Amino acid sequence: MVSKTLNAPNGYKVRISLKTALGEDAYEWNQSEMFFFQATMAFAMRRHFQMETYNVDNIILCVQTSRVSFWFVVTSPDNTTMLIPKADVEKAVRMSRHRINNAFLLSDRTLEFLGIYPTLAAPVNPDTPPWLIVFGVVIGAVCVGIIALLISSLLQKRRKEKGMTEDGQDEEDMQVKGVENGINLDGTYNRGFTDDDRFTKL
Amino acid sequence: IVLKILPNLGLGDRIPSHQELERMEKEEAGDRPKWDNKTQYMLTCVGFCVGLGNVWRFPYLCQSHGGGAFMIPFLILLVLEGIPLLHLEFAIGQRLRSGSVGVWTAINPYLTGVGIASLLVSFLVGMYYNTIIAWVMWYFFNSFQNPLPWSQCPVNANLTDLVSECTRSSPVDYFWYRDTLNTSTSIGDSGGLQWWMVLCLLCAWLLLYVCCLRGIATTGKAVYVTSTLPYVVLTIFLIRGLTLKGSLDGIKFLFTPDLNELMNPSTWLDAGAQVFYSFSLAFGGLISFSSYNSVHNNCEQDAVIISIINGFTSVYSATVIYSIIGFRATERFDDCLEGNILALLNAFNLAEGSIKEGNYAESLQNLNGTFPETIQSLDLKTCDLQTFLSQGVEGTGLAFIVFTEAITKMPVSPLWSILFFIMLFCLGLSTMFGSIEGTVVPLQDLNIFPKRWPKEAITGIVCLVSFVIALIFAQSSGNYWLALFDSFAGSIPLLVIAFCEMIAVVYIYGIDRFNKDIEFMIGHKPNLFWQVTWRFVSPLIVLVIFVFYFVTKVSSNVTYIAWNPSSEDFPTLEVLEYPAWIYVIIFILAGVPSLVVPGTAIFKLIRRCCSNKNVYGAEVDTVSAKVQMFTTKMS
């Protein structure tokens, strides 16, 4: 039973997926629910046209299947033989889509009006993209780390140089007072021959 | 049958003797850096060896070459190729107490080219490797939001529909190719610098600089985190993965052995290449690291332990990756099936729940029998779990497309995303430490910079120059350049260097001398296994891999794959041929480091002949090896 053959230029097909939306909490789709749908659509028409004459009888349903899916058309309250054009029905549905969905605990995806595409949510554009914030934190920490390490290297080097010049002088003083063969030698010790004894080791 | 070792004059003058080594050990002479403790050394080496390749290359190779059967060639070649080469690099570094240039120059001044080649390769590979880290950081920065930016397609400019490039491919593809890379359609179309990529690249190089600032004094501390954290994250992912539906299918798929693959020579070649590249050999970094050890450190034991850890990490991460891939494949399969079932329900107005996974095939058959034209018009997709599982991807595709998609399907996705990218970051950074070591130390040895310049300055200059050149990869066509570098800079030259290293140590330095050195260092002579592998087996394996690689690359048409939204097969990547001027670049990347080895030798020969200077004299005065030379040679 395929409903593609139905020729309803001013009608819309509705498809409801209760089990997908609610799983175990899915309610049963019966005639009372259909009545509720008619009431909701009448409300949507009232809201859009701001005419309080739309009633449940103006919403005509047909071709109900076990899917659950059905077709509906809207008649004018003044003249029940005249159908409201498709475009107007679409505008009404779009305006109250959120209310219609919530009435049935469904969503745009599970309560489909075939032919009326849901408007896409406008993207939320934060002032600073979140990634820049994380980037800022990381690069700040890294720069602090680099500066800290460089400064500590510099201080270490200064301390070493200071320490070495002091040590160097102490060594020289000791060497100058070096006693060799009991004779006090004058002059600076020539360190060039410090390792001399290694050559003669046999 | 031992090949007569090539004549090598004056070797004794260029290297410290055993007594000198003992003396240096006791007096702790020289201001050569030292490891604070053995753990730092082991963690640094493990970190250098274990890298992104273990996570995204090995699992793909495993799955595409017969699953569990791939373990056999992998383990065999690990033992015959990986461990001997590793031991050789550790031992020679520890013995000659110098970085790569220092070591090879000491063995024979004409071999300086091997060290320079290592320097060039470390430099080139470091450049593109750090770019991958920049990409990882970009994804890491973008993980701090819910929902993740790659979980859904963005809306187009006039808010009427989702962006078409995204709907035709997938949100993860779109985020990678458009939001991250903003990729152009070919390598010739540079497309300008992408500012967000430049920022991430800057961050990556600054972070690397802060860790490598003082050489092993700083990296030695950093490796406590960067080498251990990946294992923690892998374990967390394993536990998480095993609780997801379909993970065991993935693991089973990975390890199902297909022994027929062992007959295929490319399986063995890929295994050999994977072992070789996975050990980060021939970069010079390992030689450098082991030269900071004490002389009597047991390098044989270290080589075996690190090889085992490396092999284990490959297998472990393959398990984790495929448990997640199994989950993703199952999700895709379920989605595919659900889509088909929904199409059937909608077309035939059947009640929900009347067609389920269990009776899908049966119902489809029934309906096809009665309404074949309708079924045709529905254009149902074929859903096959095996196909989804075998969409095996490697490299950046695995990390940034497949895995990120799997993460979006997990609950609390931002957490898993953050963990995953921290792990990739640590894996990459610890490998970069070795790369920087392999670049900076040879530069110091070659005296390119004045000696009184501190290490901080030299490291800074290396990082700065690398960053500037790596801006190539921040262009729109950067992805294609990186693939180019990856194929050519990191493949052929390394094989050449490794082969030369083995010949140099075994036949120029002399295997007998080497054996005695090891006996001096660790107390016993290397046994028959080492002798056979060093002399014949390992060089032969490296030579075979090199010849096959070379022949394959030269004979095949060099192509690359490009993302082109206006191509016919979109979203399948388009196969393009490289323009002619790329061959110049390929030559620079692969040819120059390889040719530097004989080139330097020829250069020194010419210089010696022209100036009649004594090349063999003790003119090697390396900063990294403050060895006292005794010029007692009577001439």
Side-chain angles (χ1 to χ4, degrees), chain A residues 15 18 20 67 69 152-153, chain B residues 214 346 349-350 352 456 632:
Chain A
R15 191 187 291 143
L18 285 170
T20 318
R67 167 64 183 80
S69 71
S152 84
S153 291
Chain B
R214 288 201 207 138
N346 288 350
N349 286 314
L350 305 164
E352 278 180 291
E456 287 90 335
T632 53

Side-chain angles (χ1 to χ4, degrees), chain A:
Chain A
M1 199 182 11
V2 183
S3 41
K4 259 191 270 180
T5 50
L6 189 67
N7 189 11
N10 281 322
Y12 274 106
K13 181 172 177 183
V14 176
R15 191 187 291 143
I16 295 180
S17 316
L18 285 170
K19 290 220 177 74
T20 318
L22 303 163
E24 299 223 324
D25 300 327
Y27 49 80
E28 195 201 321
W29 190 264
N30 50 27
Q31 287 306 109
S32 308
E33 303 286 346
M34 293 300 280
F35 180 79
F36 190 17
F37 181 80
Q38 286 174 303
T40 320
M41 280 312 299
F43 161 75
M45 298 304 290
R46 283 194 184 198
R47 201 158 165 244
H48 175 64
F49 287 106
Q50 282 159 358
M51 274 164 48
E52 298 199 350
T53 47
Y54 279 96
N55 223 323
V56 180
D57 305 320
N58 294 117
I59 316 292
I60 304 176
L61 309 165
C62 41
V63 197
Q64 297 174 34
T65 69
S66 55
R67 167 64 183 80
V68 171
S69 71
F70 50 86
W71 286 77
F72 75 93
V73 286
V74 184
T75 57
S76 163
D78 309 316
N79 183 357
T80 45
T81 50
M82 206 177 77
L83 297 177
I84 304 288
K86 210 163 170 166
D88 292 331
V89 176
E90 179 173 340
K91 286 193 205 128
V93 167
R94 274 192 194 278
M95 188 176 171
S96 309
R97 190 63 190 265
H98 188 62
R99 299 292 298 271
I100 302 174
N101 286 349
N102 279 353
F104 292 95
L105 308 175
L106 298 171
S107 70
D108 279 350
R109 213 171 48 92
T110 40
L111 170 56
E112 297 168 77
F113 286 85
L114 297 188
I116 305 179
Y117 299 108
T119 44
L120 302 160
V124 176
N125 271 333
D127 293 327
T128 27
W131 76 268
L132 264 181
I133 301 174
V134 187
F135 167 77
V137 168
V138 170
I139 216 168
V142 167
C143 287
V144 166
I146 292 179
I147 295 172
L149 280 174
L150 285 176
I151 291 181
S152 84
S153 291
L154 226 69
L155 289 175
Q156 251 182 27
K157 212 165 281 180
R158 290 245 177 88
R159 230 177 284 143
K160 225 204 272 179
E161 276 170 20
K162 243 176 140 189
M164 268 212 346
T165 44
E166 287 176 358
D167 283 339
Q169 288 196 337
D170 288 343
E171 269 183 30
E172 261 193 36
D173 290 338
M174 288 206 310
Q175 297 281 303
V176 165
K177 298 201 174 68
V179 179
E180 197 159 293
N181 288 342
I183 309 165
N184 236 342
L185 291 171
D186 249 5
T188 26
Y189 190 84
N190 189 345
R191 263 184 275 217
F193 295 102
T194 322
D195 301 323
D196 222 351
D197 41 68
R198 229 172 304 167
F199 289 100
T200 53
K201 218 193 272 183
L202 274 167

Side-chain angles (χ1 to χ4, degrees), chain B residues 308-548:
Chain B
I308 294 177
I309 293 179
N310 198 7
F312 162 74
T313 311
S314 293
V315 177
Y316 189 51
S317 55
T319 314
V320 175
I321 296 285
Y322 263 83
S323 75
I324 304 290
I325 287 188
F327 160 70
R328 171 187 173 264
T330 311
E331 282 278 311
R332 279 203 154 192
F333 174 72
D334 284 345
D335 283 344
C336 175
L337 206 58
E338 238 178 72
N340 282 357
I341 292 178
L342 198 66
L344 284 177
L345 290 180
N346 288 350
F348 294 101
N349 286 314
L350 305 164
E352 278 180 291
S354 57
I355 304 183
K356 286 212 190 66
E357 185 178 332
N359 59 1
Y360 170 75
E362 194 189 312
S363 318
L364 180 63
Q365 221 177 4
N366 284 344
L367 290 167
N368 203 9
T370 22
F371 302 102
E373 313 87 37
T374 332
I375 300 285
Q376 277 274 28
S377 66
L378 284 178
D379 201 18
L380 296 172
K381 297 186 223 145
T382 35
C383 301
D384 178 30
L385 185 61
Q386 294 299 309
T387 324
F388 287 125
L389 280 172
S390 56
Q391 276 171 355
V393 211
E394 55 162 333
T396 52
L398 175 69
F400 300 121
I401 298 180
V402 170
F403 216 81
T404 44
E405 189 189 326
I407 286 177
T408 56
K409 300 194 203 289
M410 293 192 225
V412 199
S413 334
L415 171 69
W416 304 112
S417 183
I418 293 172
L419 275 178
F420 178 64
F421 289 113
I422 281 187
M423 174 182 84
L424 289 187
F425 172 73
C426 286
L427 285 171
L429 193 67
S430 51
T431 308
M432 281 306 296
F433 293 157
S435 194
I436 288 287
E437 180 78 15
T439 312
V440 169
V441 170
L443 282 177
Q444 285 181 309
D445 286 350
L446 290 170
N447 295 323
I448 301 225
F449 299 108
K451 259 191 224 146
R452 54 182 183 77
W453 282 22
K455 188 159 192 147
E456 287 90 335
I458 302 179
T459 317
I461 293 178
V462 168
C463 287
L464 182 66
V465 172
S466 300
F467 167 67
V468 168
I469 302 180
L471 287 174
I472 309 174
F473 305 121
Q475 294 171 111
S476 276
S477 53
N479 188 27
Y480 309 130
W481 282 98
L482 199 133
L484 187 71
F485 269 64
D486 190 25
S487 307
F488 294 104
S491 57
I492 304 240
L494 287 173
L495 291 163
V496 170
I497 296 171
F499 185 73
C500 292
E501 284 187 359
M502 281 189 281
I503 301 296
V505 169
V506 172
Y507 299 109
I508 301 183
Y509 184 72
I511 188 74
D512 300 313
R513 187 187 268 268
F514 192 56
N515 286 335
K516 286 204 196 79
D517 286 336
I518 294 183
E519 191 176 1
F520 164 72
M521 290 196 291
I522 65 178
H524 60 263
K525 236 180 116 165
N527 59 29
L528 184 66
F529 166 74
W530 303 111
Q531 303 302 323
V532 173
T533 46
W534 283 335
R535 285 180 219 217
F536 310 114
V537 180
S538 305
L540 189 66
I541 295 176
V542 170
L543 187 66
V544 167
I545 297 176
F546 168 72
V547 167
F548 269 92

